Amino acid sequence: QIWSTELEEDSIIPFIPFLRRQAALAIAHYSDAAVLNGDTTNAATGNINLDDADPADTKYYLAFDGLRHAGLVDNTANSKDAGGAISFALLKGQLTRMRDAAKLIDWGHPVNPADVVYLTDPSTGEAIAQLDEVLTVDKFGPAATVLTGQLANIGRNPLVTSMAMS
Protein backbone atom coordinates (compact mmCIF):
# COMPACT_ATOMS: atom_id res chain seq x y z
CA GLN A 1 0.00 0.00 0.00
CA ILE A 2 1.07 3.54 -0.64
CA TRP A 3 0.18 6.37 1.73
CA SER A 4 1.39 9.82 2.47
CA THR A 5 3.73 10.55 5.36
CA GLU A 6 1.13 13.12 6.40
CA LEU A 7 -0.80 10.18 7.85
CA GLU A 8 1.98 9.74 10.39
CA GLU A 9 3.00 13.33 10.96
CA ASP A 10 -0.31 15.19 10.93
CA SER A 11 -2.67 12.53 12.18
CA ILE A 12 -4.12 12.61 15.70
CA ILE A 13 -4.32 8.82 15.60
CA PRO A 14 -1.04 6.95 14.96
CA PHE A 15 -2.31 5.40 11.73
CA ILE A 16 0.82 3.70 10.35
CA PRO A 17 1.35 1.54 13.49
CA PHE A 18 -2.32 0.56 13.21
CA LEU A 19 -1.83 -0.52 9.58
CA ARG A 20 1.29 -2.49 10.49
CA ARG A 21 -0.54 -4.27 13.32
CA GLN A 22 -3.50 -5.13 11.08
CA ALA A 23 -1.17 -6.44 8.36
CA ALA A 24 0.65 -8.63 10.91
CA LEU A 25 -2.67 -10.01 12.21
CA ALA A 26 -3.85 -10.80 8.68
CA ILE A 27 -0.59 -12.55 7.81
CA ALA A 28 -0.78 -14.60 11.03
CA HIS A 29 -4.38 -15.66 10.39
CA TYR A 30 -3.86 -16.67 6.76
CA SER A 31 -0.60 -18.46 7.60
CA ASP A 32 -2.51 -20.55 10.17
CA ALA A 33 -5.36 -21.06 7.73
CA ALA A 34 -3.08 -22.24 4.92
CA VAL A 35 -1.16 -24.68 7.14
CA LEU A 36 -4.37 -26.08 8.64
CA ASN A 37 -6.79 -26.02 5.71
CA GLY A 38 -4.56 -26.46 2.67
CA ASP A 39 -5.97 -28.71 -0.07
CA THR A 40 -4.71 -28.70 -3.66
CA THR A 41 -7.89 -30.33 -5.01
CA ASN A 42 -9.15 -27.78 -7.52
CA ALA A 43 -12.40 -29.30 -8.78
CA ALA A 44 -16.15 -28.91 -8.40
CA THR A 45 -16.16 -31.43 -5.52
CA GLY A 46 -13.58 -32.89 -3.18
CA ASN A 47 -11.86 -29.84 -1.65
CA ILE A 48 -12.17 -29.95 2.16
CA ASN A 49 -12.83 -26.19 2.25
CA LEU A 50 -15.42 -25.98 -0.53
CA ASP A 51 -16.95 -29.34 -1.42
CA ASP A 52 -19.93 -28.10 -3.43
CA ALA A 53 -18.19 -25.81 -5.93
CA ASP A 54 -14.93 -25.28 -7.79
CA PRO A 55 -12.75 -22.97 -5.68
CA ALA A 56 -11.33 -19.88 -7.35
CA ASP A 57 -7.75 -20.41 -8.53
CA THR A 58 -6.59 -17.57 -6.25
CA LYS A 59 -7.70 -19.17 -2.95
CA TYR A 60 -4.88 -19.38 -0.40
CA TYR A 61 -5.72 -22.95 0.60
CA LEU A 62 -4.88 -24.31 -2.87
CA ALA A 63 -1.14 -23.74 -2.28
CA PHE A 64 -0.45 -27.11 -0.60
CA ASP A 65 -2.10 -29.88 1.42
CA GLY A 66 -2.44 -28.94 5.08
CA LEU A 67 -2.83 -30.68 8.42
CA ARG A 68 -6.58 -31.33 8.16
CA HIS A 69 -6.03 -32.86 4.72
CA ALA A 70 -3.72 -35.49 6.26
CA GLY A 71 -6.49 -36.88 8.49
CA LEU A 72 -9.51 -36.28 6.28
CA VAL A 73 -8.07 -37.39 2.92
CA ASP A 74 -4.54 -38.83 3.01
CA ASN A 75 -5.02 -41.29 5.87
CA THR A 76 -8.57 -41.54 7.19
CA ALA A 77 -7.36 -43.92 9.93
CA ASN A 78 -5.86 -40.80 11.58
CA SER A 79 -9.27 -39.20 12.06
CA LYS A 80 -11.76 -39.82 14.85
CA ASP A 81 -15.32 -38.53 15.12
CA ALA A 82 -15.90 -37.53 18.73
CA GLY A 83 -19.65 -37.55 18.21
CA GLY A 84 -19.90 -34.36 20.23
CA ALA A 85 -18.62 -35.98 23.43
CA ILE A 86 -15.15 -34.67 24.28
CA SER A 87 -13.25 -36.57 26.93
CA PHE A 88 -9.70 -36.71 28.21
CA ALA A 89 -9.46 -40.37 27.10
CA LEU A 90 -10.57 -39.44 23.56
CA LEU A 91 -7.93 -36.72 23.33
CA LYS A 92 -5.15 -38.94 24.69
CA GLY A 93 -6.28 -41.74 22.37
CA GLN A 94 -5.52 -39.55 19.37
CA LEU A 95 -1.80 -39.94 20.13
CA THR A 96 -1.99 -43.67 19.37
CA ARG A 97 -3.13 -42.84 15.82
CA MET A 98 0.17 -41.00 15.28
CA ARG A 99 2.27 -44.17 15.09
CA ASP A 100 3.81 -45.27 11.82
CA ALA A 101 4.76 -48.92 12.32
CA ALA A 102 6.17 -49.21 8.78
CA LYS A 103 8.70 -46.41 9.41
CA LEU A 104 9.13 -47.19 13.12
CA ILE A 105 8.12 -43.65 14.13
CA ASP A 106 5.87 -42.70 17.05
CA TRP A 107 4.96 -39.07 16.40
CA GLY A 108 2.52 -39.05 19.33
CA HIS A 109 5.12 -39.69 22.03
CA PRO A 110 8.19 -37.55 21.31
CA VAL A 111 11.00 -36.94 23.79
CA ASN A 112 9.97 -33.29 24.07
CA PRO A 113 6.21 -33.14 24.85
CA ALA A 114 5.95 -29.65 23.33
CA ASP A 115 6.60 -31.28 19.93
CA VAL A 116 2.96 -32.49 19.96
CA VAL A 117 0.33 -29.77 20.08
CA TYR A 118 -3.42 -30.22 20.20
CA LEU A 119 -4.98 -27.69 17.83
CA THR A 120 -8.65 -26.80 17.88
CA ASP A 121 -11.19 -24.08 17.26
CA PRO A 122 -11.86 -21.71 20.20
CA SER A 123 -15.28 -23.22 21.08
CA THR A 124 -13.89 -26.75 21.35
CA GLY A 125 -10.91 -25.37 23.29
CA GLU A 126 -13.29 -23.89 25.85
CA ALA A 127 -15.13 -27.22 26.13
CA ILE A 128 -11.81 -29.01 26.70
CA ALA A 129 -10.90 -26.47 29.38
CA GLN A 130 -14.04 -27.52 31.28
CA LEU A 131 -12.91 -31.16 31.57
CA ASP A 132 -12.30 -32.16 35.19
CA GLU A 133 -8.81 -33.38 34.28
CA VAL A 134 -7.61 -29.87 33.40
CA LEU A 135 -9.89 -27.54 35.36
CA THR A 136 -8.90 -28.10 38.96
CA VAL A 137 -5.65 -27.79 40.90
CA ASP A 138 -5.76 -31.37 42.21
CA LYS A 139 -5.82 -32.68 38.60
CA PHE A 140 -3.75 -30.15 36.63
CA GLY A 141 -1.51 -28.78 39.35
CA PRO A 142 -0.36 -25.15 39.59
CA ALA A 143 -1.16 -24.59 35.89
CA ALA A 144 -4.88 -25.35 36.40
CA THR A 145 -7.32 -23.28 34.37
CA VAL A 146 -8.87 -21.84 37.53
CA LEU A 147 -5.46 -20.41 38.57
CA THR A 148 -3.82 -19.36 35.31
CA GLY A 149 -6.52 -19.00 32.69
CA GLN A 150 -4.47 -21.33 30.43
CA LEU A 151 -6.98 -23.40 28.50
CA ALA A 152 -5.38 -26.79 28.96
CA ASN A 153 -2.63 -29.28 28.52
CA ILE A 154 -3.68 -32.71 27.34
CA GLY A 155 -1.30 -34.81 29.34
CA ARG A 156 1.99 -32.97 28.85
CA ASN A 157 1.02 -31.56 25.45
CA PRO A 158 -0.24 -27.97 25.03
CA LEU A 159 -3.65 -27.08 23.63
CA VAL A 160 -3.67 -24.24 21.09
CA THR A 161 -6.77 -22.63 19.59
CA SER A 162 -7.03 -20.89 16.25
CA MET A 163 -9.86 -19.10 14.48
CA ALA A 164 -8.52 -20.67 11.29
CA MET A 165 -9.44 -24.16 12.52
CA SER A 166 -12.81 -25.40 11.31
Side-chain angles (χ1 to χ4, degrees):
Q1 272 185 333
I2 299 172
W3 60 78
S4 168
T5 56
E6 293 168 346
L7 286 175
E8 181 68 20
E9 294 175 5
D10 295 336
S11 177
I12 295 172
I13 301 168
F15 194 62
I16 292 177
F18 167 77
L19 291 176
R20 285 188 182 126
R21 180 179 179 278
Q22 290 304 107
L25 290 172
I27 289 169
H29 173 75
Y30 282 103
S31 295
D32 280 0
V35 168
L36 293 172
N37 303 313
D39 185 355
T40 58
T41 305
N42 193 0
T45 60
N47 189 293
I48 62 174
N49 300 287
L50 186 65
D51 192 44
D52 58 349
D54 187 7
D57 293 339
T58 57
K59 289 293 186 182
Y60 67 89
Y61 53 76
L62 292 172
F64 50 83
D65 290 337
L67 294 175
R68 287 181 56 232
H69 191 273
L72 296 173
V73 179
D74 295 338
N75 186 353
T76 56
N78 285 340
S79 63
K80 172 74 173 163
D81 186 355
I86 298 169
S87 69
F88 192 77
L90 176 83
L91 295 167
K92 288 297 288 177
Q94 188 63 23
L95 298 177
T96 62
R97 289 188 256 315
M98 297 174 70
R99 290 183 62 231
D100 187 342
K103 296 179 182 169
L104 302 174
I105 298 173
D106 186 2
W107 298 106
H109 303 90
V111 174
N112 181 0
D115 287 346
V116 173
V117 176
Y118 286 85
L119 187 61
T120 186
D121 64 280
S123 298
T124 304
E126 288 294 333
I128 292 169
Q130 298 303 313
L131 293 174
D132 288 338
E133 291 85 352
V134 299
L135 186 62
T136 60
V137 177
D138 62 318
K139 305 284 185 177
F140 197 46
T145 303
V146 295
L147 295 178
T148 66
Q150 175 185 343
L151 280 181
N153 269 4
I154 310 305
R156 299 182 316 152
N157 312 109
L159 172 71
V160 177
T161 62
S162 174
M163 285 299 294
M165 186 67 168
S166 298

